[in-house]
Amino acid sequence: MGQKVSTEDFIWTYTEQPHSDRRREIVKKYPEIKKLFGIDPSLKYVVSACVILQIFAAFLLKDSSWVLIFLQAYFFGGIVNHALTLAIHDISHNTAFGNDWPLSNRFFGMWANLPISVPMSVSFKKYHVEHHRYLGEDALDTDVPTEFEAKFFTTPIRKLLWLFLQPLFYAFRPLMIYKKAPTDLEIINAIIQVIFDLAVLYFFSLKSLAYLFLGTFLAMGLHPSAGHFVAEHYVFSGAQETYSYYGLWNLVLFNVGYHMEHHDFPYIPGKNLPKVREIAPEFYDNLHIHESWITVLSTFVFSPSMGPYQRIKRPASVPQEVYGNYALANYLKPVQRVFQKFLETIYVIKKSNWSVKNK
C-alpha cells in the first residue's frame, strides 16, 4: 500500500492533439455526419425532470436521519447531481437551444446547476472551451493536475485521498493554474445559486441542503460514476490521449463515456455520440477503450505506473487571457441601441409636433 508511482514528470509531446485531424478525415469520408450537429430536443425536458426530482427528494428528506441523508446522497442524489454536471457539460456546447441562442443556453445551465448547490455552470463553460481548444497545453488546460498534485499523491493511500477530494481540485485548480476575471454571467450564476440554497434552507431544512451538497461532493469523488474523470485522458495505453467507455453509466450520464467521439465533434449532442462510432467505426475500432470505470479507479490507485503525472502535456501555444467574454453585456448592447433609436425617434416626432403647433 506504500508503493510510490514510478513516473516523475508528465508525458510531454510537441505534436498537436489528434482530434482535429481525425475530425477532418471523418467529415471528408462521411460528410453526412454533419447532420448530427445541433440541438438535442429532449435535453431540456430530461434536465428539468432531474432538477424537479432533486428538489422533491430534498423536501422528502428534510426530517430524515443523517445516516439516511448520507446513504441517499451517495446512492441516489449524488448520481442525479453528477448527471446534472454532465448535462451542464453538454449545455456548455449549446446543445439545448443551439448556437444562435447562447444566452438561453447559459441560463438553462444555471437552472441545471440548482440542485448541485455550488455555482459552477458558467465557470465550467469558460474553462471547458480551453480544454477542447488547448488539450493538455501547459497553463491553459485546467483539467491537467498541478505539480503539487502530481508530486504529493503518489502512493495508493494518497491517490485514494486524491480521488475523494477530486471535486475540490476541480473547483480550485483553475484558480491556481489559470486565473480569470469573473464575468457578468458568473456573478448572476452565483447570486441565483445562493438564493436557491437559502430557499432550500428556509423552506425545507439544513438536512435538505446537506443532501444536495453531499450528493455533489460524494458522487464526484470516490464514486463509480466519477471514474470518467480518470478514464477520459489519463494515459493507460501507449501514447493514446483520450479514451472512450461504452458501458451502462452512459445511460444516466448523457453519454459522457463517448469521449473520443466528443472531442472529435464537441458540438454533437451527447445523445447522438453513439451514432458517430456507428457511421465511422474504422476510426475508433483500433483505439483502446475502457470496459469498467471501477477497474479504471482501482488501476489508478494500485498501479505504480499510474498517478496524476500520467497525463500528456504540451507547451502552451498562446498566452493566457485574464478577461473573459461578458456575454450579458454583449447581448444587451444591441438591445440598448434599439431602445436608444426608439427614444431618438420619439424625440424627433415630439419635436416635429411642437414645431407644427408653434407655427
Side-chain angles (χ1 to χ4, degrees), residues 40-311:
D40 174 3
S42 65
L43 187 61
K44 297 184 282 292
Y45 307 106
V46 175
V47 169
S48 296
C50 290
V51 171
I52 294 168
L53 176 64
Q54 277 294 74
I55 295 172
F56 184 59
F59 168 74
L60 293 178
L61 292 167
K62 64 187 179 71
D63 298 317
S64 300
S65 68
W66 282 107
V67 173
L68 184 59
I69 294 292
F70 273 91
L71 290 174
Q72 289 285 359
Y74 190 85
F75 291 104
F76 174 71
I79 295 173
V80 179
N81 273 9
H82 198 153
L84 285 171
T85 65
L86 295 169
I88 288 171
H89 164 256
D90 226 25
I91 296 164
S92 73
H93 292 285
N94 295 333
T95 57
F97 294 95
N99 290 324
D100 292 335
W101 299 93
L103 202 62
S104 298
N105 287 287
R106 300 295 77 76
F107 278 105
F108 187 64
M110 295 180 204
W111 163 247
N113 197 156
L114 294 179
I116 296 169
S117 80
V118 178
M120 51 80 67
S121 174
V122 179
S123 299
F124 175 83
K125 159 73 175 177
K126 182 169 67 174
Y127 285 103
H128 189 63
V129 169
E130 312 282 358
H131 169 63
H132 276 276
R133 189 175 296 158
Y134 308 116
L135 181 64
E137 293 194 21
D138 189 33
L140 294 175
D141 183 1
T142 58
D143 189 63
V144 179
T146 61
E147 283 286 344
F148 165 75
E149 293 171 71
K151 288 179 179 178
F152 183 79
F153 297 100
T154 54
T155 65
I157 291 293
R158 291 184 181 184
K159 286 189 280 185
L160 204 63
L161 178 62
W162 183 77
L163 290 175
F164 178 72
L165 297 176
Q166 199 158 202
L168 297 181
F169 287 114
Y170 266 91
F172 294 107
R173 189 186 296 146
L175 304 179
M176 303 294 295
I177 295 177
Y178 193 173
K179 299 179 181 69
K180 288 190 175 190
T183 64
D184 45 12
L185 287 179
E186 281 181 286
I187 295 169
I188 293 172
N189 190 181
I191 291 171
I192 291 173
Q193 190 63 56
V194 169
I195 291 172
F196 174 81
D197 290 350
L198 290 175
V200 170
L201 191 62
Y202 181 80
F203 291 106
F204 297 170
S205 70
L206 175 62
K207 290 181 177 180
S208 296
L209 186 59
Y211 159 75
L212 295 175
F213 175 78
L214 287 171
T216 300
F217 184 82
L218 294 174
M220 292 183 68
L222 200 57
H223 193 282
S225 67
H228 73 91
F229 289 120
V230 176
E232 290 165 357
H233 295 293
Y234 284 81
V235 179
F236 281 80
S237 175
Q240 186 175 324
E241 189 167 7
T242 307
Y243 301 79
S244 285
Y245 155 84
Y246 303 123
L248 293 176
W249 278 110
N250 286 304
L251 297 176
V252 292
L253 297 180
F254 295 93
N255 284 333
V256 69
Y258 288 79
H259 214 66
M260 292 186 291
E261 295 84 348
H262 171 63
H263 270 266
D264 288 347
F265 298 97
Y267 292 98
I268 290 180
K271 182 181 179 180
N272 291 338
L273 287 176
K275 296 177 183 177
V276 174
R277 186 180 177 85
E278 290 175 11
I279 292 173
E282 69 272 24
F283 289 91
Y284 300 101
D285 285 345
N286 294 327
L287 297 174
H288 182 88
I289 63 170
H290 293 298
E291 302 287 347
S292 164
W293 282 343
I294 294 178
T295 301
V296 165
L297 294 175
S298 62
T299 302
F300 180 83
V301 170
F302 296 110
S303 172
S305 65
M306 295 301 298
Y309 266 139
Q310 200 66 8
R311 287 289 300 263

Side-chain angles (χ1 to χ4, degrees), residues 306-331:
M306 295 301 298
Y309 266 139
Q310 200 66 8
R311 287 289 300 263
I312 290 177
K313 284 191 78 172
R314 298 175 174 82
S317 60
V318 296
Q320 292 183 341
E321 293 183 5
V322 176
Y323 299 100
N325 178 30
Y326 293 87
L328 187 61
N330 292 337
Y331 180 81

